[in-house]
Amino acid sequence: MQPRTTPEVGGMGHSMKRKEDPRFIRGKGNYVDDIVLPGMLWMDIVRSPFAHAKIKSINTEKALKVPGVLAVITGETLAKYNLHWMPTLMSDTQMVLPTEKVMYQAQEVAAVIATSRYAAADGVDAVEVDYEPLPVVVDPFKALEPNAPVLRTDKKDKKDNRIFHWEAGDRAGTEKAFAEAEVTVKQDLYIPRIHVASIETCGCIADFDRVNGKLTVYMTTQAPHAIRTVFALVAGHVGLSEERIRIVSPDIGGGFGGKVPVYPGYVIAVAASVVIGKPVKWIEDRMENLQADSFARDYHITAELAAKKDGTITALRMKTLADHGYTDAAANPSKFPAGLFSICTGSYDVKKAFVEVDGVYTNKPPGGIAYRCSFRVTEAVHAIERVTDVLAQQLKMDPAELRMKNFIPKEKFPYKSALGWEYDSGDYPAALRLAMDKIGYHALRKEQAEKRARGELMGIGISSFTEILGAGPSKQFDILGIKMFDSCELRIHPTGKAIARFGTKSQGQGHETTYAQIIAEELGIPASAVQVEEGDTDTAPYGLGTYASRSTPVAGAAGALAARKIREKAKKIAAHLLEASEEDLVWETGKFSVKGAPSRSKTIQEIAFAAYTNHPPGMEAGLEAVNYYDPPNLTFPFGSYICVVDIDRGTGMVKIRRFVAVDDCGNIINPMIVDGQIHGGLTMGMAPALLEEISYDENGNIQGGSFMDYLLPTAVESPSWETYKTVTPSPHHPLGAKGVGESATVGAPPAIANAVVDALAHLGVKHVDIPITPEKVWRILKEKGVAE
Amino acid sequence: MATHDIRVTVNGTAYDAQVESRLLLVHLLRDQLRLTGTHIGCDTTHCGACTVLLDGQPVKSCTVLAVQADGRQISTVEGLEKDGKLHPLQEGFWEKHGLQCGYCTPGMLMTTCALLTRSKNPSEAEIREAISGNLCRCTGYNNIVKAVQFAAERLGKEA
Ligand code: FES
Ligand code: FES
């Protein structure tokens, strides 16, 4: 798309350098741990070594004698204020601090408040807790067996460990299609528990001002407004009232979904500040972050396809067991206990589908948040893209050909999926064709055949994914009843510069730049003259925050529509200044002119000045607008990725030789930023495909609770990503944009897994669960007798 | 807890400090000297967010005791810009979109600053190897590589 504005204006389509960078490259960012308040105290947390245990006693005597330690807060302390439990976003309940038992290893048990970071840590070491271990439930399948210990003994009538059963689609019709199918395939897949591990961990400073009764919390949150309301609802009974709560989300060092939940640490810090009357800082360390913060994924899926012999897919069925840990603290829209998992028919025209998900409790930390993805979309995409390859293998068909055969054709959009979504727009064959061209697909297949003949292992993997973003339309989407709109408040100053505030919160996505570009596009005010602010609930308009790639689809639209409101008023002012009628004015970027007399014109800057100095009689002064955008539908970005891997027969090591990513996210605001989002997403897609997993032993001990064992990709494992675009605008978004932050995380894992299976397919391998570690591959090679 | 009087020179300025034996250099910089550009991202010496130069060598300041820095020269991200002029690496990261959330950036800048001192024209593989002790969760490293190449070229022209 050719930009419509000049580079000086910097509207959509310009790779404008980021406005936020000057502070970051100088080390002048303002992250939560950089903030120091006068009189500030430190908090550190005592955590459970057991996955399930009764707390017999907590002895704080020695801790209180440690120099610098002022207080130790336990569940009993919080129980006095009825703050020891809190609700989760999924209307379950979660302990802030326990009074009876702990439910997972690393659970918060007590908090030490001290005058320094080090003293607080000393205090934690000195707290003595006496535990009585209880039987541990680790395996979610066993959790549902009739003799399994019931974990949530706090819930009076809970008789088992099932949290929910959810289903969508046509069960009977799907069963019939399977019964009548010429070919069926079935694949079990495990999408392991992983952790977003943003490089900045979570933390906060809670500052309760006793005189004014005002609570200010600086915290690592992706959704400051929602947090404010949750605090008001949860702690209203102890006197916190929403107009006297201010949540400030400063610079955030990566979020990816991990900074959506309300963690117990935040609540304890608030309680401590209220009780002590001083600011209290809590910054978790990396081990706490990996061991106790919300996990992602942990889906055990059985995926099935029914098809004709020619490869036409006729039906899809998926059954999933979702391990939620000890409480359902997933960050999903309230009506979607399994998120948007029902996008699992993917890019294909599947006529009949049925999907069911059961959530269970185990002795693991809670979560079920996204890992840079929109509510369980990665799980869905991995399942459909993997089982599609299983079908191709069964039919001895090329996986690209099978996909081409089943893609939803371009002319069928808007397309109603068998599981109820209305896909807005797409051109799937174009994206796959481009990816095949760019990587040289047919030449690679030839190379593979030659290598196979020589005994070398090389694989080519495809993933043609469809994403579902921009939650969401208020008729379906809410969090605890709050509709998932988002907002922009735009003010144009007399000198023609602007400030735009949004209900979202960037964690690296570059909103200060892209939002300014949207305003520039709509009003012709240079993006460099548009100040963007988010994250302070005292100043920004209410919004649901940044996650699930919703900022551009929802808040970005709000920005465009607020600007269009401004343009409406500007037109009236221009008509007044030009002594023309409104109907005779035409808008071209940055100015109104009189039809047929282009020299008679007023720039937006002149109009802005007039709005404060010479506005028409009977009109209110000023030039401001607010928009709360309720999207009519979600957006459905898509893409096709192709990955080439080489496997070392000696070590089982998988090397990504090339990776071509073709993305279609509709119209693009800043191509440079979009590419950056895709590079990062691809790397976070490669991570669980090859490296990352958090697992537990039979006693519920976490394996992978530090960066020693939990392996993030470094620059050495990451290939040089090759990115391309097709552009299919969203028909319902004011800018035709769709959102992009997570597409690559969603699309990459199956491309990699499919490539590995493809490399081993001639040995009879049909599936390998992610993460595909060298050990896993080596064992397969050994079993097949080809290890070197 | 024993304390020690130390003198460290940070970005050319000498500071006297009284520190506990166990105080980490990163905490001296951040909490005592209030140079918060140097970040903390882990507790096992893996992430490199805390990278500074100690007598010109990149070190992870979370794994150096403040007392070990006594009498030595430290460079942090705050010292890269000279007389209002950005370091070519800072230019490169900005120009090539080598950062997103910015949390890993100071460590990346210091590590690559040391790289460009020892290798004027590093290959892509060399750059990737050099930053393999610095984790970035946002960028996927593509543009960090480009940023360093940009800076190498700039420095080559300036020399
Ligand atoms: S803080 Fe992670 S290496 Fe120093
Ligand atoms: S830019 Fe966010 S960790 Fe590197």
Side-chain angles (χ1 to χ4, degrees), chain B residues 61-136:
Chain B
S61 64
C62 69
T63 315
V64 174
L65 295 168
V67 288
Q68 290 175 288
D70 186 19
R72 301 170 74 178
Q73 303 276 341
I74 297 160
S75 316
T76 71
V77 65
E78 288 91 345
L80 282 178
E81 184 178 12
K82 295 265 166 10
D83 307 321
K85 198 173 165 310
L86 291 176
H87 188 282
L89 276 163
Q90 292 172 306
E91 298 262 14
F93 272 72
W94 192 8
E95 192 68 42
K96 296 292 172 192
H97 190 31
L99 63 147
Q100 291 180 22
C101 77
Y103 201 77
C104 70
T105 311
M108 287 286 180
L109 286 168
M110 298 321 287
T111 300
T112 52
C113 181
L115 168 70
L116 293 185
T117 319
R118 55 175 199 270
S119 171
K120 296 284 166 239
N121 196 7
S123 65
E124 171 165 354
E126 250 180 285
I127 296 170
R128 287 183 179 270
E129 179 71 34
I131 58 171
S132 63
N134 293 74
L135 296 174
C136 175

Side-chain angles (χ1 to χ4, degrees), chain A residues 198-200 252-254 256 507-508, chain B residues 98-105 108 135-139 144:
Chain A
S198 51
I199 305 300
E200 181 201 38
I252 303 281
F256 312 114
Q507 313 119 41
Chain B
L99 63 147
Q100 291 180 22
C101 77
Y103 201 77
C104 70
T105 311
M108 287 286 180
L135 296 174
C136 175
R137 201 56 157 167
C138 300
T139 64
I144 294 182

Side-chain angles (χ1 to χ4, degrees), chain B residues 2-8 15-20 66-67 70-71:
Chain B
T3 58
H4 309 264
D5 292 316
I6 61 167
R7 165 168 286 207
V8 291
Y15 296 90
D16 293 317
Q18 202 177 53
V19 301
E20 279 188 10
V67 288
D70 186 19

Side-chain angles (χ1 to χ4, degrees), chain B residues 39-51 60-63 133:
Chain B
H39 297 147
I40 301 172
C42 72
D43 15 59
T44 48
T45 323
H46 282 87
C47 76
C50 61
T51 308
K60 292 180 171 173
S61 64
C62 69
T63 315

